[in-house]
Amino acid sequence: MKNSNFKRFILLWMGQLISAIGGGLTSFGLGVYVFEKTGSAGGMALVTLLGFFPTLLLSIPAGVLADRYDRRLLMMLGDGFSGIGVLYILICMMRGEASLTQICIGVFISAVFSSLLDPAYKATVSDLLTADEYSKASGLVSLAGSARYLVSPVIAGILLSVSDVKLLLVIDICTFILTVLSTFAVRKGIKSEKCLEKLSFKESMNAGWNVIRKRRGVFLLV
């Protein structure tokens, strides 16, 4: 059972690694695209902000959802619907030049659904692995998170030298599909836990904010 669960973790991790690289390609490519079209560093910063802000804003609601519902299903929904924002930007580009407003809308939509992913993913990893396995897996989890910033810019730079940003968006959309399939395979192989619902959604939200407020350092960081 232990080996089987670790294999499932590896499958899940590979999906998240691919997804992180794909997301990094889109982030890098859109930054270059916005700067080339507008010449504005502020436009690049705005796109980056909209990519990260929903994750910060929705981290607690996403954590509550991960505690109350099927975490693998949330990951599938998060990855699947996150592709809608990227697809929207791609369609706008194929119909002509995508405006900064259209790019911001697509990035925001993608980031909102992606915010469901991280708490559910981390909780799923802890569900699958024992304490000893988790310590071994933590390095791989960190590697997948860093790939967005370390690996993706290199790949994006190479691809942009032979094509344009639309290729990066297409690749990112394909990575969403692969990630959903890998998550589905893991979900199919294990039983969905039934989370206890001792608190209402609102009570769970309040409990989460109370934990942050009681820790001044975390509160100031947020």
Side-chain angles (χ1 to χ4, degrees):
M1 184 67 177
K2 181 185 293 187
N3 292 335
S4 178
N5 278 343
F6 196 80
K7 290 179 180 178
R8 293 189 181 108
F9 159 73
I10 291 296
L11 178 61
L12 187 69
W13 172 79
M14 289 179 64
Q16 296 306 311
L17 175 64
I18 293 172
S19 178
I21 293 175
L25 293 178
T26 293
S27 298
F28 185 90
L30 289 179
V32 173
Y33 181 86
V34 169
F35 187 76
E36 287 181 345
K37 299 302 179 183
T38 66
S40 171
M44 290 180 59
L46 178 61
V47 171
T48 302
L49 175 64
L50 290 175
F52 285 101
F53 185 68
T55 301
L56 177 62
L57 185 65
L58 301 176
S59 59
I60 292 180
V64 174
L65 291 175
D67 285 337
R68 297 170 66 87
Y69 300 105
D70 188 331
R71 292 159 184 170
R72 270 70 66 183
L73 180 59
L74 288 176
M75 292 174 63
M76 293 169 63
L77 292 175
D79 265 319
F81 285 102
S82 182
I84 294 176
V86 180
L87 181 61
Y88 169 74
I89 297 174
L90 178 61
I91 292 174
C92 292
M93 289 184 176
M94 294 179 67
R95 298 176 61 182
E97 291 187 357
S99 67
L100 178 60
T101 300
Q102 291 170 328
I103 291 175
C104 288
I105 291 173
V107 169
F108 184 77
I109 292 173
S110 183
V112 166
F113 287 106
S114 292
S115 66
L116 295 175
L117 183 63
D118 192 55
Y121 170 56
K122 291 179 179 178
T124 295
V125 172
S126 63
D127 288 340
L128 289 174
L129 304 178
T130 64
D132 291 338
E133 290 174 333
Y134 189 84
S135 63
K136 297 176 183 177
S138 59
L140 294 176
V141 173
S142 299
L143 176 62
S146 302
R148 180 185 186 95
Y149 309 102
L150 300 178
V151 179
S152 297
V154 177
I155 298 176
I158 295 173
L159 294 177
L160 287 175
S161 67
V162 298
S163 185
D164 59 14
V165 68
K166 290 191 286 292
L167 175 62
L168 304 184
L169 298 182
V170 170
I171 293 175
D172 191 16
I173 292 172
C174 292
T175 64
F176 286 128
I177 298 173
L178 291 175
T179 305
V180 170
L181 291 176
S182 67
T183 306
F184 176 76
V186 172
R187 181 175 184 261
K188 187 177 180 180
I190 58 179
K191 295 181 179 180
S192 298
E193 70 280 0
K194 292 186 177 180
C195 302
L196 297 177
E197 299 185 7
K198 296 180 179 179
L199 299 176
S200 68
F201 187 87
K202 182 179 179 181
E203 290 171 335
S204 298
M205 285 280 295
N206 290 334
W209 281 116
N210 287 334
V211 170
I212 291 179
R213 284 199 297 267
K214 290 178 180 178
R215 291 164 172 79
R216 185 178 180 185
V218 176
F219 179 75
L220 293 176
L221 179 62
V222 173

